[in-house]
Amino acid sequence: DAKTTQPPSMDCAEGRAANLPCNHSTISGNEYVYWYRQIHSQGPQYIIHGLKNNETNEMASLIITEDRKSSTLILPHATLRDTAVYYCIVRGYNTDKLIFGTGTRLQVFP
Amino acid sequence: GAVVSQHPSRVICKSGTSVKIECRSLDFQATTMFWYRQFPKKSLMLMATSNEGSKATYEQGVEKDKFLINHASLTLSTLTVTSAHPEDSSFYICSASRLAGGHNEQFFGPGTRLTVL
C-alpha cells in the first residue's frame, strides 16, 4: 500500500473550516484514499473515501488532486467534538486491510 | 447499524496469565475481522486478519503463538494474549468488515485496554 504523509498536528477555531492535507505521491491507479478519525481512547471512525473524484457526505468533503498525489479532508464547520487524530490511508481495491500512518492531531479550540 | 462491540473494555491481569478479548459485530455478519494494537500516543498497528472458519493471517513480527485468534462465527472473533507480560500492556482494537455503499468498510470496536502487572 502507498505511504501517506500528514502534518503531525493542526489547530482550528470552532466554527471555521478545518482543512487537513495528505500526501500520497506513490498511489497507484486502483488505490483508494480513506479517511478515519480517532477520538481519544476510542476506536477509529470512518469519515469518507474516494478514488479520483471529489466526495462529500454529512461529515466532510474530500478533495483529491487531479494527479491523485495528494488530498485534503475538509470539515466545513469544526466543532470541539471534532478534536481527534485524523488518519489518511491509501487502500488497495482488492484488500480490506488498513495500514494506519501517524495521522494529524486536530485540536479545535473555542 | 454496523455496531462492533468489544469485551471487556478494560482488564488488569498478573504477569504470566492469559487474557481473552472478544469482538462482536452486533447487527451484521462479518467474514473478516481485524485486530490492532495501539501504544500510548502511537498509531494503530495491524496485528492480524481473522477470517471466519480459517486460520488468521498475522502481520510480520506478530507472534501467532502469543496472540491466539479464533473466528468461530460470522459475528465473533476472539484474541487471547497468552502468558501476558507488562510489555503486552496496550490498547487492543478490533474491526469488522462489511459491504457498505459498494465497498468493504471497516467498523471499529471501542477498544480494550489491557494492563499487565
Side-chain angles (χ1 to χ4, degrees), chain A residues 7-69:
Chain A
S9 63
M10 293 183 66
D11 290 339
C12 178
E14 189 177 21
R16 304 298 293 269
N19 297 287
L20 292 89
C22 178
N23 284 322
H24 31 79
S25 58
T26 59
I27 193 170
S28 60
N30 62 355
E31 290 180 315
Y32 287 74
V33 180
Y34 278 75
W35 284 82
Y36 282 77
R37 73 181 182 183
Q38 185 180 24
I39 295 170
H40 183 62
S41 294
Q42 297 182 24
Q45 176 190 22
Y46 166 82
I47 301 173
I48 199 167
H49 78 282
L51 182 62
K52 55 183 179 180
N53 296 324
N54 297 338
E55 302 288 344
T56 296
N57 63 21
E58 64 279 3
M59 288 183 70
S61 294
L62 174 60
I63 308 298
I64 303 174
T65 58
E66 193 168 341
D67 63 7
R68 303 210 322 124
K69 292 185 177 182

Side-chain angles (χ1 to χ4, degrees), chain A residues 34 38 49 91 96-97 101, chain B residues 38 43 59 97 103-104 106:
Chain A
Y34 278 75
Q38 185 180 24
H49 78 282
R91 194 184 105 178
D96 289 351
K97 286 170 61 171
Chain B
Q38 185 175 33
S43 185
E59 295 299 305
S97 187
H103 71 109
N104 278 330
Q106 282 192 36

